[in-house]
Amino acid sequence: MNENASARGILFIFRHFTGDNKMGLYNILKLNLKCPFCNYEGEMEAEFKIGYLNLDIYNTGDKIKWVEGLAKQPHQKRPEGGNFCGEGYVECQNCNKDFWLEIFIENDRITKAKINFDKAGYVKKS
């Protein structure tokens, strides 16, 4: 069983037994980043809510899957031209501090991501 199928199964079981249908789905972007807090540099994962949300794993250059036909929230239909700028959430595995990214999509492909220094994370910085 692949990681996506396993995660979806756990999510289904959680929702079934708790009745929680508000839990958010997202996709994952794997990329090399430098943490703005501890300067750790390496592969990190950004959770993002762009396109068809199915716990899919993307890399820079990958083509985004959009919803075809009627798109129910939180899934997104393809924007005009396949161009979009959204956000991603990252937690550094080295220092456990979090930060936000801007994720750029051009012609349906993830072209780049950059740290958004203007948006504070959830974890209180000490």
Side-chain angles (χ1 to χ4, degrees):
M1 180 182 302
N2 69 32
E3 290 178 15
N4 282 355
S6 177
R8 285 192 298 272
I10 291 168
L11 180 62
F12 172 79
I13 291 168
F14 175 82
R15 287 182 173 177
H16 177 74
F17 287 106
T18 65
D20 180 5
N21 288 317
K22 296 176 184 159
M23 190 172 182
L25 284 176
Y26 54 87
N27 290 319
I28 297 168
L29 174 61
K30 288 191 170 195
L31 69 169
N32 287 313
L33 288 172
K34 184 175 183 180
C35 176
F37 302 104
C38 71
N39 292 320
Y40 167 82
E41 193 167 354
E43 185 176 84
M44 296 189 196
E45 294 183 353
E47 298 174 1
F48 68 100
K49 294 184 176 193
I50 300 170
Y52 180 65
L53 308 181
N54 195 36
L55 302 174
D56 289 326
I57 298 173
Y58 291 93
N59 293 292
T60 303
D62 287 349
K63 187 173 183 177
I64 288 284
K65 295 178 203 168
W66 302 104
V67 174
E68 295 182 22
L70 296 175
K72 293 185 178 182
Q73 288 291 347
H75 307 289
Q76 295 173 327
K77 290 181 80 168
R78 183 180 185 266
E80 189 172 330
N83 301 317
F84 189 79
C85 179
E87 61 185 15
Y89 175 78
V90 180
E91 184 176 312
C92 175
Q93 64 262 29
N94 187 58
C95 68
N96 296 319
K97 293 183 179 166
D98 60 342
F99 53 95
W100 291 90
L101 299 177
E102 290 178 285
I103 299 173
F104 297 87
I105 299 168
E106 298 172 15
N107 298 314
D108 301 313
R109 296 201 177 271
I110 300 170
T111 56
K112 64 180 175 179
K114 67 178 189 174
I115 296 172
N116 181 350
F117 292 99
D118 295 327
K119 185 170 182 178
Y122 297 118
V123 179
K124 186 176 180 180
K125 313 300 184 257
S126 53

